Amino acid sequence: MRAILTDSAYFGVVISLLAYYIGTVLKKKLKWALMNPLLISVILVIGALLLLGIDYEAYNASAKYITYFLTPATVCLAVPLYEQLTLLKKHFKAVMLGILSGVLASLGCILLLALLFHMDHAGYVTLLPKSITTAIGLGMSESMGGIPAITAAAIIITGILGNIIAEGFLKLLHVTEPVARGVAIGTASHAIGTSRAMELGEAEGAISSLSIAVAGLMTVVFVQLFGGLI
């Protein structure tokens, strides 16, 4: 069984898509915040690999084709933004300042945690891109001497947490303005969080989509400054 699966060129794709489908079904039926499809699919894929005795390298060799769609999928987020262009023009300055504040807050928190836990340079720069899209964050981590695999995990965990707790956290802080909600979610938890923002409303989804791209560009700029602090 193991040999048949590992010899298949697309078994990793099939397992990944099937696990994600199960996650979406559970989310629709149970409607629990913790039933995030991506989180469920990660757990199911890990369980399947352990059960079948398949190592990660073999799985990744056949699942890597999914990553080819990462950049096109991110670009597609521009569509809802285009539909809300008037709203963006009206709140342009506030949106830009909000994204800038979020980027600086993210980098500043990682710096404080790195100092608190006495992290070395490699560990520190590995976590700096945690709040931006994987397409930008992995290259940034590698170029600064970080560990891309851990960066990818940090980005995914950040996105899943944002997807799960964003709505409740914003309600707790009494943030009801759609633009503010979109900026907060997109800047803090990139595309995975944005999928939740789109469920909250068209305005939230559009502004969150913009925040992904702008936060990524701002992080590229400011990480040069923060990266040299440790």
Side-chain angles (χ1 to χ4, degrees):
M1 181 67 175
R2 175 185 175 185
I4 295 175
L5 290 174
T6 53
D7 287 342
S8 173
Y10 302 104
F11 87 91
V13 174
V14 174
I15 290 176
S16 300
L17 294 180
L18 179 60
Y20 188 81
Y21 173 73
I22 293 173
T24 59
V25 171
L26 289 175
K27 177 67 180 294
K28 289 179 180 179
K29 287 190 174 182
L30 299 178
K31 300 185 184 301
W32 296 347
L34 286 176
M35 290 290 104
N36 178 273
L38 184 57
L39 177 61
I40 297 299
S41 63
V42 169
I43 294 173
L44 290 178
V45 168
I46 292 174
L49 295 182
L50 291 174
L51 182 64
L52 297 172
I54 300 172
D55 58 38
Y56 174 76
E57 288 72 20
Y59 161 76
N60 187 52
S62 59
K64 62 183 180 182
Y65 303 105
I66 296 178
T67 63
Y68 296 157
F69 297 97
L70 179 61
T71 301
T74 303
V75 173
C76 287
L77 292 174
V79 174
L81 176 62
Y82 176 77
E83 295 174 347
Q84 298 289 331
L85 201 56
T86 301
L87 183 65
L88 171 61
K89 291 178 179 179
K90 181 179 179 180
H91 300 283
F92 183 77
K93 290 183 179 179
V95 169
M96 292 299 110
L97 287 174
I99 297 173
L100 175 61
S101 300
V103 169
L104 293 177
S106 174
L107 296 175
C109 287
I110 294 299
L111 174 60
L112 290 176
L113 288 173
L115 292 173
L116 180 63
F117 291 100
H118 306 288
M119 298 176 65
D120 59 13
H121 176 76
Y124 168 59
V125 298
T126 293
L127 297 179
L128 277 179
K130 69 172 181 59
S131 291
I132 62 175
T133 180
T134 309
I136 301 174
L138 295 185
M140 183 185 302
S141 173
E142 186 175 10
S143 66
M144 293 188 299
I147 306 170
I150 297 180
T151 299
I155 291 173
I156 291 173
I157 292 171
T158 300
I160 291 175
L161 284 176
N163 187 290
I164 293 174
I165 71 173
E167 183 180 9
F169 188 70
L170 291 173
K171 284 183 178 179
L172 180 64
L173 298 178
H174 303 290
V175 178
T176 57
E177 169 59 44
V179 174
R181 287 153 68 95
V183 169
I185 295 173
T187 303
S189 50
H190 50 84
I192 302 176
T194 297
S195 65
R196 180 58 182 148
M198 289 180 172
E199 295 175 2
L200 298 179
E202 293 183 1
E204 286 92 335
I207 300 302
S208 185
S209 300
L210 171 70
S211 300
I212 296 172
V214 177
L217 293 175
M218 287 185 177
T219 302
V220 169
V221 173
F222 286 103
V223 82
Q224 305 303 320
L225 172 62
F226 279 83
L229 297 179
I230 292 181

